[in-house]
Amino acid sequence: MTWTAERHWPVLAQGLAGRLRRDSAGDWDRFIHHPFVRSLADGTLPEEEFRRFLVQDYLYLIQYARAYALAIYKGATLEDMRSASAIVTGLLDTELALHIAYCASWGLTEADMQGQPESLELLAYTRFILDRAQTGDLLDLIVTLAPCLIGYGEIGARLHADPATRREGNPYWPWIALYSGEKFTGFVEAGIRTLDTLGARYGADARYPMLLSEFRTSVRLEAAFWLAGQSGPL
Amino acid sequence: MTWTAERHWPVLAQGLAGRLRRDSAGDWDRFIHHPFVRSLADGTLPEEEFRRFLVQDYLYLIQYARAYALAIYKGATLEDMRSASAIVTGLLDTELALHIAYCASWGLTEADMQGQPESLELLAYTRFILDRAQTGDLLDLIVTLAPCLIGYGEIGARLHADPATRREGNPYWPWIALYSGEKFTGFVEAGIRTLDTLGARYGADARYPMLLSEFRTSVRLEAAFWLAGQSGPL
Amino acid sequence: MTWTAERHWPVLAQGLAGRLRRDSAGDWDRFIHHPFVRSLADGTLPEEEFRRFLVQDYLYLIQYARAYALAIYKGATLEDMRSASAIVTGLLDTELALHIAYCASWGLTEADMQGQPESLELLAYTRFILDRAQTGDLLDLIVTLAPCLIGYGEIGARLHADPATRREGNPYWPWIALYSGEKFTGFVEAGIRTLDTLGARYGADARYPMLLSEFRTSVRLEAAFWLAGQSGPL
Amino acid sequence: MTWTAERHWPVLAQGLAGRLRRDSAGDWDRFIHHPFVRSLADGTLPEEEFRRFLVQDYLYLIQYARAYALAIYKGATLEDMRSASAIVTGLLDTELALHIAYCASWGLTEADMQGQPESLELLAYTRFILDRAQTGDLLDLIVTLAPCLIGYGEIGARLHADPATRREGNPYWPWIALYSGEKFTGFVEAGIRTLDTLGARYGADARYPMLLSEFRTSVRLEAAFWLAGQSGPL
């Protein structure tokens, strides 16, 4: 019996997030079952490539924080503004520090990472998000940010539950544990609920084709980002 | 028998523009029946005040062009982009020149007008539009711009049809003729149709409360703008 | 011997903030010596007017937080982003709560204040800031935000030091004490230093005429804002 | 004797454009001497790859027009706004039509091109420009747009002057002729002058490190874009 999102993660069986995810099934599968993900699961990913990925992931977090800063600006209620502000603070004050600590365990210092150029994959993905954020309203922004959050949560949950995932001696097991952990799962579920709330308020059903189109582009860019550490310097 | 928008201008009897207008009836009436408008109709507006209004109106056109520039940027189709670009070009190349020519007949030169500070009313109205334009999507932008276009069209049509409007010796009759003319009426009706088209595509019904709120603020700011030439320098 | 900013607050004797302040001396004086300020100092301001001002001030804080959210987005370094994010968090989580507590002492509840419409003065001032923030870069944004911070600091310091200020039985003494207090003074001085740092990095000297122009508009709007509670509803 | 930009195109020997170009010499050379460019010069580029490039170039023009729409919005003078508006109109009304006509000669219809997804290279390049445009001021925007304009001009001029360039039977000769033609050269020189004018007004010297950094990223993205037709679908 294979793991399926709808059965094992009922929050995805309905609501806007689930609908967007189902309607981009092909792209979604290429993202969450990407060879990079499989090589994390069986521990065969070359460590040097993972290090380069971690550098790009560090640079990604900074742009991600910029996108959520626009969510504060675009929020129509104090509650929306505060919720986005908490995410920005969390990213800049906590998540970056955790990421840096994790990277240190791979021999990377923050100074190393700050000096690295952004890859083509990183530029494409983050600047697409930021452009959608400025062009559209808060719903466009949150929809475009959603694949990252939901996808990492689903990958974490699936790999953690999968008996085929190698645990012993797999250098990537802590990464899998992080994204399947209670804390991250809590973030994901909060994000899925936010998407439903905003979707109702901003008319998601009536403008669904545009939302689906930007969600799918974001999913494809997230899939391409797995290779951000593989391509050479821009 | 009094003039009513729905009977005399059937395009306002239905559609998004008509709905927004009806649902902000009190504010709308204070805008289009403002004492300033009545004093244009009977020719009693002090000429010096009208001159100061014309200066602010000139400065307004520039900010209005900036807002439509954002409509190009926010357009999701080439057709939307081209339509907004035609409006920007029309404003910067044609409307400004016409306005300057008209102002010259009132003894104002462009150099005079460029040197004047923006009034509180102008800053409030135009920067509110520009902030909504950046915060929201193309529909928010077009809804917020609508009161100016529709209101001037309705005022022009009503005053032109009203037998009580003074024509002979009224220095403001050319102004009334301009906004009741075929060319301007054509602009207004095109704008009303655009609102319906975009409203359908961007889910206006589902997000109607937010749209109505920004439309009403814009109507109130348009009403306040009649006095832009009356208040002293900021 | 009268209080002067340069002598009593040496941080204003030099640097970008001091230069902007000196070069807009007339507007600056009309802002910080406004009749509203004098009536706070001698306790003659009608309490009802002050209450209406507090409501607008509450609504102002929300827009101010939106402007600082854009400073996170526009920051070019992690340090700039973190510093702006700390201000946003401080505003949304701490300052608003303090303001609400203070307003409660004047009989105002948060629910009362949330339901009030924004005044013309508030719309003009905050949307001008937000438009400059989006149109320009981080330096334009910080320069446009500066008059509020520096002006309140200077007013607080001056009124606190002035023996003519009424302390006993003046219902506005706590307001004066707040803005002359150590905590707020610390904010102001940090803001002045930030202005110098960013000014150097973003070429303030070479683009000074544009910066001065937007600073002066902001000062005039801040002066107009004192009457935000006096004018009727928009 | 080889062609050099400074000798053959004196406008690049000085001014902001020339300085930026010289200070990013390595990246600049990789852009203008890219294998793709060499294969246009000797006619060896596979035609199918060129067709895919043309599709991405069509999609690029649309995003490029969006960036210039932001230049209208960000312009501080009517002259700057009009100059940017003329470029937007030129792109949407003339350049796109010319490009479509040219593509038709390669068997591509507009409908074909509109249906194609944007490549990773296109997304990275155009959204980087748009994000810089919104984050910075008009100078940041124009600097980031410059490599495309200047580079195509320089490539056109160099290939046209180079006796080694194949003219007879080279299917890419019309492309080279276009970008070395008087009309396009006029655009480029106007763009270089605009850069100098804005550079002086917005303090380019004092903020040069930031400008150079964004110019270089843009050059590298422009170089990567030559392969936009080679990589598979995103």
Side-chain angles (χ1 to χ4, degrees):
Chain A
M1 195 179 98
T2 58
W3 194 91
T4 67
E6 281 84 359
R7 188 167 49 236
H8 295 274
W9 207 349
V11 76
L12 282 178
Q14 49 184 21
L16 181 55
R19 184 180 177 195
L20 289 164
R21 184 187 162 286
R22 276 192 305 280
D23 289 345
S24 45
D27 290 317
W28 189 262
D29 284 349
R30 276 183 291 278
F31 158 36
I32 66 163
H33 297 289
H34 193 278
F36 184 94
V37 176
R38 287 203 303 268
S39 68
L40 289 172
D42 63 14
T44 59
L45 181 70
E47 301 203 353
E48 196 44 49
E49 189 186 329
F50 187 64
R51 271 190 203 93
R52 286 196 303 262
F53 175 78
L54 288 179
V55 171
Q56 295 298 315
D57 214 23
Y58 166 82
L59 298 170
Y60 174 82
L61 278 175
I62 297 170
Q63 302 301 319
Y64 196 70
R66 293 181 66 217
Y68 267 109
L70 288 174
I72 307 174
Y73 164 69
K74 300 216 160 195
T77 67
L78 264 178
E79 192 191 343
D80 288 349
M81 293 174 71
R82 281 192 179 117
S83 139
S85 175
I87 293 174
V88 173
T89 306
L91 286 165
L92 294 178
D93 292 351
T94 311
E95 301 308 315
L96 267 176
L98 288 174
H99 190 77
I100 289 165
Y102 178 70
C103 290
S105 76
W106 284 86
L108 296 162
T109 68
E110 185 174 17
D112 288 343
M113 297 193 285
Q114 281 186 330
Q116 295 300 312
E118 297 178 297
S119 67
L120 193 69
E121 289 82 2
L122 172 64
L123 284 162
Y125 188 19
T126 56
R127 286 1 182 244
F128 170 76
I129 290 173
L130 287 161
D131 178 48
R132 283 307 309 154
Q134 284 277 30
T135 303
D137 63 10
L138 185 61
L139 180 59
D140 294 300
L141 169 49
I142 298 297
V143 162
T144 312
L145 284 168
C148 173
L149 189 69
I150 304 173
Y152 272 59
E154 184 172 338
I155 288 168
R158 185 171 51 79
L159 295 191
H160 193 274
D162 188 347
T165 299
R166 185 176 144 213
R167 299 186 174 211
E168 302 294 315
N170 181 351
Y172 307 114
W173 179 251
W175 188 93
I176 294 166
L178 171 68
Y179 292 111
S180 58
E182 227 170 274
K183 195 184 148 206
F184 191 77
T185 305
F187 281 153
V188 179
E189 301 201 341
I192 289 172
R193 279 191 302 270
T194 297
L195 209 55
D196 276 334
T197 310
L198 292 178
R201 199 149 26 102
Y202 285 82
D205 285 350
R207 46 196 275 213
Y208 186 72
M210 280 191 289
L211 297 177
L212 178 59
S213 166
E214 60 206 36
F215 184 84
R216 287 188 59 195
T217 302
S218 193
V219 171
R220 288 199 298 263
L221 285 164
E222 181 74 54
F225 188 69
W226 291 125
L227 302 185
Q230 209 173 69
S231 63
L234 180 59
Chain B
M1 192 180 100
T2 59
W3 193 92
T4 66
E6 283 82 1
R7 187 167 51 235
H8 295 275
W9 207 347
V11 77
L12 282 179
Q14 48 184 24
L16 180 56
R19 183 180 178 195
L20 289 164
R21 184 187 161 286
R22 274 190 307 279
D23 290 345
S24 44
D27 291 317
W28 190 261
D29 284 349
R30 277 183 289 278
F31 158 36
I32 67 164
H33 297 290
H34 193 278
F36 184 94
V37 176
R38 288 204 303 267
S39 68
L40 290 172
D42 63 14
T44 60
L45 182 71
E47 300 203 355
E48 197 44 49
E49 190 187 328
F50 187 63
R51 270 189 204 95
R52 287 195 303 262
F53 176 78
L54 287 178
V55 171
Q56 295 297 316
D57 213 24
Y58 166 83
L59 298 171
Y60 174 82
L61 278 175
I62 297 170
Q63 302 301 319
Y64 197 70
R66 295 180 66 217
Y68 267 109
L70 288 175
I72 307 174
Y73 163 70
K74 300 215 161 194
T77 67
L78 263 178
E79 193 190 343
D80 289 348
M81 293 173 72
R82 280 191 179 117
S83 140
S85 174
I87 291 173
V88 174
T89 306
L91 286 166
L92 294 177
D93 293 351
T94 311
E95 299 310 314
L96 267 176
L98 287 174
H99 190 78
I100 289 164
Y102 178 70
C103 291
S105 77
W106 284 86
L108 296 162
T109 68
E110 186 175 15
D112 288 342
M113 298 193 285
Q114 281 185 331
Q116 296 300 310
E118 297 178 295
S119 66
L120 193 69
E121 290 82 2
L122 172 64
L123 284 162
Y125 188 18
T126 56
R127 281 13 176 238
F128 170 76
I129 291 173
L130 287 161
D131 177 48
R132 283 307 311 153
Q134 284 278 30
T135 303
D137 64 10
L138 185 60
L139 180 58
D140 294 300
L141 168 50
I142 298 296
V143 162
T144 312
L145 284 168
C148 172
L149 189 70
I150 303 173
Y152 273 59
E154 185 172 338
I155 289 167
R158 186 170 51 80
L159 295 190
H160 193 273
D162 188 347
T165 299
R166 184 176 145 213
R167 299 188 175 212
E168 301 295 315
N170 182 349
Y172 308 114
W173 179 252
W175 189 93
I176 294 166
L178 172 68
Y179 291 112
S180 58
E182 226 171 273
K183 197 185 146 205
F184 191 77
T185 306
F187 281 153
V188 179
E189 301 201 340
I192 289 172
R193 280 191 301 272
T194 297
L195 209 55
D196 277 333
T197 310
L198 292 178
R201 203 152 19 105
Y202 285 82
D205 285 350
R207 46 196 274 213
Y208 185 72
M210 280 191 289
L211 296 177
L212 178 60
S213 165
E214 61 206 35
F215 183 84
R216 286 188 59 195
T217 302
S218 193
V219 170
R220 287 199 300 262
L221 285 164
E222 181 73 54
F225 188 69
W226 292 124
L227 302 185
Q230 211 172 68
S231 61
L234 180 59
Chain C
M1 195 180 98
T2 58
W3 194 93
T4 67
E6 282 83 0
R7 189 168 48 235
H8 295 275
W9 207 348
V11 76
L12 282 178
Q14 49 184 20
L16 181 55
R19 183 180 177 195
L20 289 164
R21 184 188 161 286
R22 276 190 305 280
D23 290 346
S24 45
D27 290 318
W28 189 262
D29 284 348
R30 276 183 290 278
F31 158 35
I32 65 163
H33 297 289
H34 193 278
F36 184 93
V37 176
R38 287 202 304 267
S39 68
L40 290 172
D42 64 14
T44 59
L45 182 71
E47 300 203 354
E48 196 44 51
E49 190 185 329
F50 188 63
R51 270 189 205 94
R52 286 197 303 262
F53 175 78
L54 288 178
V55 171
Q56 295 297 315
D57 213 24
Y58 167 82
L59 298 171
Y60 174 81
L61 278 175
I62 298 170
Q63 302 301 318
Y64 197 69
R66 294 181 66 218
Y68 267 109
L70 287 175
I72 308 174
Y73 163 69
K74 300 215 161 197
T77 66
L78 263 178
E79 192 191 342
D80 288 348
M81 294 174 70
R82 281 191 178 118
S83 139
S85 175
I87 292 174
V88 173
T89 306
L91 286 165
L92 295 177
D93 293 351
T94 311
E95 301 307 315
L96 268 176
L98 288 174
H99 191 78
I100 290 165
Y102 178 69
C103 292
S105 76
W106 284 87
L108 296 161
T109 69
E110 185 173 18
D112 288 342
M113 297 194 285
Q114 280 185 332
Q116 296 300 310
E118 297 178 297
S119 66
L120 193 68
E121 289 81 3
L122 172 65
L123 285 162
Y125 188 19
T126 56
R127 285 4 181 242
F128 169 76
I129 290 173
L130 287 160
D131 178 47
R132 283 307 309 154
Q134 284 278 29
T135 302
D137 63 11
L138 185 61
L139 180 58
D140 294 299
L141 168 50
I142 298 296
V143 162
T144 312
L145 285 168
C148 173
L149 188 70
I150 303 173
Y152 273 59
E154 185 173 337
I155 289 168
R158 186 170 52 79
L159 295 190
H160 193 272
D162 189 347
T165 299
R166 184 176 145 213
R167 299 188 174 209
E168 302 295 314
N170 182 351
Y172 307 114
W173 179 253
W175 189 93
I176 294 166
L178 171 69
Y179 291 111
S180 58
E182 226 171 273
K183 195 184 147 207
F184 191 76
T185 305
F187 281 155
V188 179
E189 301 202 340
I192 289 172
R193 280 191 302 271
T194 298
L195 209 55
D196 276 334
T197 311
L198 292 178
R201 202 154 17 107
Y202 284 82
D205 286 350
R207 45 196 275 213
Y208 186 72
M210 281 191 289
L211 298 177
L212 177 60
S213 164
E214 61 206 36
F215 183 85
R216 286 188 60 194
T217 303
S218 193
V219 171
R220 288 198 299 263
L221 286 163
E222 181 73 53
F225 188 69
W226 292 125
L227 303 185
Q230 208 173 69
S231 63
L234 181 58
Chain D
M1 194 181 97
T2 59
W3 193 93
T4 68
E6 282 84 359
R7 189 168 50 236
H8 294 276
W9 208 347
V11 77
L12 282 178
Q14 48 185 23
L16 180 56
R19 183 180 177 194
L20 289 164
R21 183 188 163 284
R22 275 191 306 280
D23 289 345
S24 45
D27 290 317
W28 189 263
D29 283 350
R30 277 184 288 279
F31 158 35
I32 67 164
H33 297 290
H34 193 278
F36 184 93
V37 176
R38 287 203 304 268
S39 69
L40 290 171
D42 64 14
T44 59
L45 182 71
E47 300 203 355
E48 197 44 50
E49 190 186 328
F50 187 64
R51 268 189 206 94
R52 288 195 302 261
F53 174 79
L54 288 177
V55 171
Q56 294 298 314
D57 213 23
Y58 166 84
L59 299 170
Y60 174 82
L61 277 175
I62 297 169
Q63 302 301 318
Y64 196 70
R66 294 180 66 218
Y68 267 109
L70 288 174
I72 307 174
Y73 163 69
K74 300 216 161 194
T77 67
L78 263 178
E79 192 190 343
D80 288 349
M81 292 174 72
R82 281 190 178 117
S83 140
S85 174
I87 292 174
V88 174
T89 307
L91 286 164
L92 294 177
D93 292 351
T94 310
E95 300 308 314
L96 267 176
L98 287 173
H99 191 79
I100 290 164
Y102 178 69
C103 291
S105 77
W106 283 87
L108 296 162
T109 68
E110 186 174 15
D112 289 343
M113 298 193 285
Q114 281 185 331
Q116 296 299 312
E118 297 178 295
S119 66
L120 193 69
E121 289 83 2
L122 173 64
L123 285 162
Y125 188 19
T126 57
R127 281 15 177 235
F128 170 76
I129 291 173
L130 287 160
D131 176 48
R132 283 308 309 154
Q134 285 278 29
T135 303
D137 63 10
L138 185 60
L139 180 58
D140 294 300
L141 168 49
I142 298 296
V143 162
T144 312
L145 284 168
C148 173
L149 189 70
I150 303 173
Y152 273 60
E154 184 172 337
I155 289 167
R158 186 171 52 80
L159 295 189
H160 193 273
D162 189 347
T165 299
R166 185 176 144 212
R167 300 187 173 211
E168 301 295 314
N170 181 351
Y172 307 114
W173 179 252
W175 189 93
I176 294 165
L178 172 69
Y179 291 111
S180 58
E182 228 170 273
K183 196 184 146 206
F184 191 76
T185 306
F187 281 153
V188 179
E189 301 201 340
I192 289 171
R193 278 190 303 271
T194 297
L195 209 55
D196 277 333
T197 310
L198 293 177
R201 204 153 18 108
Y202 285 83
D205 285 351
R207 45 197 275 213
Y208 186 72
M210 280 191 289
L211 298 177
L212 178 60
S213 165
E214 62 206 35
F215 184 84
R216 286 188 60 194
T217 303
S218 193
V219 171
R220 288 200 297 263
L221 285 164
E222 181 74 53
F225 188 69
W226 290 125
L227 302 185
Q230 210 173 69
S231 62
L234 181 58

